[in-house]
Amino acid sequence: MRRTTSRRTMSALAITALAATTALTGAGTAGAALTATAAGPAHQARQARPVPAAIGHRVGKGQYPSPLSLADCQAQLQSSCYGATQLEQAYNEHPLFGKGITGAGRTIVIVDSFGSPTIQHDLDVYSAQYGIPSAHVKVVQSGTVPPFDPTDGDMLGWAEETTIDVDMAHAMAPGANIVLLETGVSETEGTTGFPEMMNGEDALVKQGVGDVISQSFGATENTFPGFDQGDYSSLLNLRYAFKDAAAHGVSVLAASGDNGSTDAGPDGSTLYPYQVTSWPPSDPLVTGVGATTVQLDAQGNRLSPDTVWDDPSTNSGASGGGKSKVFGRPLFQAGVQNVVGNTRGVPDVSMLGDPLTGVWTYNSFGPDDTGWELWGGTSVATPIFSGVVALADQAAGHRLGNLNYALYALGALQRAGAKGTGLTDVVGGSNTYNGVPGQPVTPGYDLATGWGTVDASKFVPAIAALG
């Protein structure tokens, strides 16, 4: 009886949400049309380079022989710190686990340059620490991946990012398969950076490998060649993997960035002094994931509502978000035109990412990078959400594809006061950072947290019903 009732509830929600989608899409939109909005002072555009979103968001002295307790983190580091069991409790996953919804039979694809030579061992250690079964990490390479050099700072950064991505995805969907897509090029300019990633993703999609792709990297739209002249072809020509993913029903996620309403300039380090947005989270075929501050007790229970990851004093970063200069307002954002205007707004949803309410990971690719580390950033939030998507894929019994239409339909229902969407609004603050005015965090959809965050026990069946 309980199962039958649940199915009826989900069906009713699906019908209502689909009606909301119809209402949204009937309002008229700019679709995927390109806009040529001026981006401020002209600059010499260089080719964009993908950088891992985790850069600069490690907390504390680095490596610890074991994870500190929450109390010790607060006393020693003035931050909170969480493990897998606390994350699962925070996002209310245990009711799903009790029904066998663990991500079993679904596959999360993690994309990182170079990868980590010790990722399987390190995931085994992470899993054992938190009493969850480990998972086999299948490594696939796109192009020629050079041998790992522990003295290469670039490789170390990507290895750290790889560890974060794999640990977080596994923590949230411990039954899901993990495929790590390693590419052999990083920090070089566009034509030899992003294409390696897109080629690898596209190959996996065409082979039928993967249900959700998690990307913890991005590059500012303004840094792509031709941007200042209104020629976006260098960016648009990289979308083939996302188009194929959409055609094959594969969900694609990307971190919205860690610099609030601005992001890195052509040199990769200096931030723009005005509002910008990054790709791939700005792509309408991608679900952009922002970051929140999450206050938990030692068991993972919330002590207060989530807030946007902002940074009024600690200079730790802020949740990325804003309006695309390349993509017009997509169909699914017709109902939030008052917020996004005629452009694609980012992000779509948010999860834990504030480094001061960070997460533990373990790596051993040292010699100076071995042990437990505390991290934050949208590169934490994105793989966390990838695990939730894997749960929803399992609950639906099939891939959910581009999540944005269902997500915005659920958002419209939430805004109308409907129960059971699994979305939890985040209100207050903004993503102002580095002197660049941010986007206000308002009731409903906003350009710093999207539709807010999720209660997985409700969100998973709700979005699965729309699949």
Side-chain angles (χ1 to χ4, degrees):
M1 290 295 293
R2 208 171 279 170
R3 182 175 298 173
T4 303
T5 302
S6 175
R7 287 178 177 172
R8 288 177 178 169
T9 302
M10 289 168 60
S11 297
L13 181 61
I15 292 170
T16 309
L18 288 173
T21 303
T22 302
L24 284 172
T25 57
T29 105
L34 300 180
T35 64
T37 306
H43 65 275
Q44 182 64 38
R46 302 179 187 177
Q47 296 187 52
R49 57 187 186 180
V51 294
I55 293 298
H57 297 294
R58 182 170 59 189
V59 180
K61 63 183 180 182
Q63 294 75 43
Y64 296 82
S66 61
L68 300 180
S69 69
L70 177 60
D72 285 342
C73 279
Q74 292 171 340
Q76 297 178 31
L77 304 176
Q78 291 73 55
S79 66
S80 296
C81 50
Y82 309 126
T85 51
Q86 291 157 318
L87 292 176
E88 292 166 0
Q89 176 67 19
Y91 290 105
N92 199 21
E93 291 193 311
H94 293 145
L96 296 171
F97 292 172
K99 298 175 183 177
I101 305 298
T102 63
R106 314 317 299 186
T107 298
I108 301 170
V109 174
I110 303 292
V111 185
D112 284 300
S113 293
F114 308 128
S116 163
T118 59
I119 190 59
Q120 184 64 65
H121 169 266
D122 296 348
L123 181 62
D124 293 344
V125 173
Y126 179 86
S127 301
Q129 174 69 33
Y130 297 108
I132 57 178
S134 192
H136 172 66
V137 181
K138 180 178 180 180
V139 176
V140 177
Q141 296 184 338
S142 175
T144 301
V145 178
F148 186 78
D149 179 358
T151 67
D152 185 318
D154 191 26
M155 284 189 170
L156 285 174
W158 279 104
E160 290 169 338
E161 181 61 71
T162 299
T163 303
I164 295 168
D165 294 342
V166 171
D167 285 358
M168 292 304 99
H170 182 61
M172 299 299 285
N177 302 313
I178 295 178
V179 171
L180 172 60
L181 174 61
E182 300 176 347
T183 66
V185 180
S186 163
E187 299 300 335
T188 51
E189 307 297 321
T191 56
T192 53
F194 270 120
E196 292 275 336
M197 293 172 164
M198 297 302 105
N199 287 345
E201 291 182 20
D202 196 44
L204 290 179
V205 167
K206 289 178 176 176
Q207 294 167 23
V209 176
D211 302 296
V212 53
I213 298 173
S214 181
Q215 305 170 117
S216 291
F217 52 80
T220 310
E221 291 179 339
N222 308 51
T223 63
F224 283 85
F227 179 90
D228 288 341
Q229 292 73 45
D231 177 5
Y232 309 134
S233 59
S234 63
L235 184 158
L236 298 176
N237 289 339
L238 293 169
R239 302 183 71 219
Y240 52 91
F242 301 157
K243 292 177 181 179
D244 278 346
H248 288 79
V250 176
S251 304
V252 183
L253 316 179
S256 68
D258 296 346
N259 296 307
S261 59
T262 184
D263 217 333
D267 64 1
S269 57
T270 305
L271 300 180
Y272 281 94
Y274 45 82
Q275 294 179 347
V276 297
T277 309
S278 294
W279 185 86
S282 66
D283 200 299
L285 298 176
V286 174
T287 298
V289 184
T292 56
T293 300
V294 181
Q295 302 291 354
L296 307 175
D297 65 18
Q299 289 71 47
N301 300 304
R302 273 183 170 75
L303 299 174
S304 59
D306 294 1
T307 57
V308 64
W309 172 32
D310 58 9
D311 185 41
S313 60
T314 61
N315 200 37
S316 66
S319 178
K323 300 178 182 180
S324 172
K325 304 299 191 300
V326 175
F327 298 100
R329 186 180 70 251
L331 197 63
F332 56 80
Q333 289 192 318
V336 294
Q337 181 178 357
N338 62 317
V339 179
V340 303
N342 292 322
T343 64
R344 159 68 161 135
V346 183
D348 303 300
V349 69
S350 293
M351 306 294 277
L352 181 151
D354 184 345
L356 297 184
T357 60
V359 297
W360 287 110
T361 67
Y362 177 83
N363 53 49
S364 63
F365 44 75
D368 298 322
D369 215 326
T370 293
W372 290 87
E373 298 179 339
L374 187 59
W375 289 95
T378 52
S379 59
V380 168
T382 304
I384 284 177
F385 191 62
S386 77
V388 175
V389 177
L391 301 182
D393 284 341
Q394 182 191 357
H398 55 79
R399 297 169 174 168
L400 297 179
N402 187 340
L403 299 171
N404 292 334
Y405 290 91
L407 179 60
Y408 280 75
L410 291 176
L413 289 173
Q414 179 207 34
R415 186 173 56 188
K419 306 296 183 182
T421 65
L423 291 172
T424 302
D425 203 1
V426 175
V427 181
S430 76
N431 63 345
T432 295
Y433 184 65
N434 200 47
V436 178
Q439 309 291 343
V441 182
T442 58
Y445 177 83
D446 60 69
L447 293 168
T449 66
W451 286 107
T453 191
V454 305
D455 175 330
S457 69
K458 298 176 182 177
F459 178 78
V460 163
I463 201 163
L466 299 179

